[in-house]
Amino acid sequence: MRRSVLKRGVHARPRTRPARAFPALLALTLAISACADEPTTPQARGGEEDGGTGTPPRTLGLVEITISGLGSGHVTSSALSAPTAAELDRLRALRDAGGAAGPGSLAPQAFSLPRNIFGPGRDGTIQLELASTGSFTEGARGAGGYRYLWATYRVRNAQTDGATYNTSRQNLTFYAVDTDSTIGQTAISQLKRFDGSPADDAIASTFVPTGAASQGAPGTVVSRFPDVLQVLTETEVQSVQTVAPLDSMGVTDVFPWGFVVRNPNDPTSRSLPASPGASQFDGLVTFAFKIPLQASPADDPFTVSLQFLALDDSQVKITQAPEEQTPAGRAAFAARAAALGASVFTLLPPSGDAVLRGSASARVRCDVRVAGAAGAGATTAFPPADTSPWPVPSPFRTGPFFLPRDGRLGVASCSNIASANATSFAVHGFQSGRPTGAYTGVGETFVRAPVAPGGAFLPGEEVEVTLSTALGRSKPLVARYRVAATGGSGAFSPVATYDGVWSPVFVALGDMNADGRPDILAVNWDSATISHFRNTGGGSFEFLQKLTTLSGNPSAVAVGDLNADGYSDLVIPAWGSSMVRVYYGSAVGGPIGFPSSFYVGTNPAGVALGDLDGDGDLDVVTANAGSHNISVLIKTTGVSFATHVTYAVGTKPKSVALGDLDGDGDLDVVTANEDSDDVSVLLNRGDGTFDASVAYGVGGLPQSIALGDVDGDGDLDIVTANYFSDNVSVLLNRGDGRFEPGATIPVGERPTSVALGDVDGDGDLDIVTANGVSDSISVLLNRGDGSFAGQISYPVGDGPLSVALGDVDGDGDLDVVVALRLESRVVVLRNP
């Protein structure tokens, strides 16, 4: 495209200087002039990297936003609009001449342009009205400090004279432009100091667009609300330049960033409805930036003007700004993207992420051009400090974040990801199994894992993701997510009982035949067997097989794909033998052959699986009640484990759980210790070795332990079932893997097992216990803040010793499966 002969070099000044001799133009609204009538016929749209379709972008004219009073404590804003950059120059002269009240002064903050000022047929405009503006500083001058500034405007789908449009506008966005009037190759058209003199032109290329931000705790910037910044690819910018009549507007370049108009009245849409009522402003747009603090306050810009091109577009794109990469910001961004049904996500470093659902696509933009021409010599923003790939979605979120069942797990990077497989980018559902199939996007900056077995994850299950060093990370990262359940009342009634078990002491759920339905695995103490019940659909089960565990009494079972063949395996600690048995799954829908055996400590009572060393394999941890320690078995190759390594814990550990307790990207260990009435926390050093255990007291004779974010602050808390004191203990995480006492809540008599899950579908974790003497289960519903309503008790039969939660009938909510030792039965309770 042509470039103005008046713009010779990066620091050239605008060709027009404001005069100061005209009266002010008064009113309450201003308008963005359309350069032509709206197109009535969709045009072909090409060049998009995401392959999107829809009507082409429509240009609605140019707008210049001015923010003044920076650093003064009284920030003001105004705007101009015109069909061309030359008209913007002329209007700026009119405005500034009428506002000559002193250095740096402005005309009124918002005003109307006289009708037909641009000539016949040029009164097609969109109204804006100033809502708020402000600024703050963050950091120290001379040490990387910035001044943040913003201006928010209401938007009405009408012309300057109030005549409304009879067509709606979709995804209206203001994209920064380089015009005949701007400084060098930037979007800045005016840059003044406090005394009204020109500021250094070089500052124009240092402006960085941001999301809506505010000042948080010292040294922090937080997101005010999401969906403000919009970032395009350079390919999409070229598409805009071929569609819009930019040459005739004086636009010499379009930058790949801008600010999107959102509809505050409808959280599911960015549409500005046709024919709005009088004073009905259906849109809000926030122009937000940060500028480096200069060496001296006198050198800081006091007044800045930027120019934008207004475009609407049928495709719903959403960009996560760096300011939104906090736990609260991520949650708000995910909620906004879900509400909009966004189809294209743009992720920015250092760890931009999204919750991708269905066919939504993502792309990574690590160097966004904010000044200069595309290609060599451009000034860019958002360069990453670390080039390590990061997981999408981020595991570090506020609230009890739940992964949607159809959520697509991915990994993003600022450099192309050359390869990804089930080891370097491992995904494992602890009920659904390990996804198999192709990884998409390999060779690009965003790679997706295969879909979950059966096409979706199972409600309530935990899903583990490993990004290993083979993927390009300097340090492995292991993250866990909990899958959302939908619906359910949290009220239960027995619907079926199943024989084929012999004194069951433990029960677990796992999809053994990869059909998308969880099967039941029951551990039979007296007969030293495991019973496998296959889910036949609708919550019904059939007895399939009984597996002999050989010597010792089986005390628990963990389900996971240890050898990465796509079939779930079973790990069974055998009390009395100092061994764990491993049955490997098969294509026939269940384990076959004889188990492999591996030594652990004395009388192993509990078992958990997880990738402790970040190499993509599942390792094994057992709680050894006889030797008062845990055993860690690190997976080596094939079906083998290294010799177990032991770590001391409390007295007689009965249950063990894994999770990232301190938020450093690896799995830590926690045990419930029966005879010392406490739990032991062992923090991972990052390589599958552990620091010495730290003890925290709980109730009497804790039998079972579970981890989950019960108070909604983004970290994992601890819940134990305390046999002797007939209650559960809740230990709240301080955020760094240290714990403080929470609630102690009564349940039924002699609780032996505890599980966490969202049984009432309200988005937080509830507690369910099996009560061995009162022959019941207790349900404690979370109030949303980590406090719980009183127990609701449901009779289940004689001697319930273990409880598991999962969607056994396929309706999306969590049902309960209970092992009844004294009746030698398994009972299924349905959640209506």
Side-chain angles (χ1 to χ4, degrees), residues 492-501 504 506-509 520-522 533 539 541 768-771 775-777 794-806 808 815-821 823-830:
F492 297 91
S493 58
V495 294
T497 57
Y498 295 93
D499 298 323
V501 293
F506 194 90
V507 66
L509 295 171
I520 296 175
L521 289 308
F533 295 87
F541 295 84
V768 180
T769 65
N771 310 310
D775 299 334
S776 65
I777 64 168
Y794 299 93
V796 291
D798 290 344
L801 289 191
S802 178
V803 62
L805 302 181
V808 300
D815 309 301
V816 179
V817 180
V818 184
L820 302 177
R821 182 177 185 183
E823 289 189 14
S824 288
R825 288 182 177 178
V826 169
V827 60
V828 176
L829 295 90
R830 185 176 178 181

Side-chain angles (χ1 to χ4, degrees), residues 450-523:
V451 297
F457 295 111
L458 294 177
E461 74 168 326
E462 285 191 289
V463 177
E464 182 175 292
V465 177
T466 295
L467 307 185
S468 75
T469 56
L471 197 68
R473 287 188 59 85
S474 56
K475 175 184 180 297
L477 184 145
V478 181
R480 285 194 174 185
Y481 307 85
R482 193 180 291 266
V483 179
T486 56
S489 64
F492 297 91
S493 58
V495 294
T497 57
Y498 295 93
D499 298 323
V501 293
W502 296 266
S503 299
V505 295
F506 194 90
V507 66
L509 295 171
D511 184 2
M512 301 301 295
N513 57 349
D515 63 355
R517 297 190 293 258
D519 304 318
I520 296 175
L521 289 308
V523 176

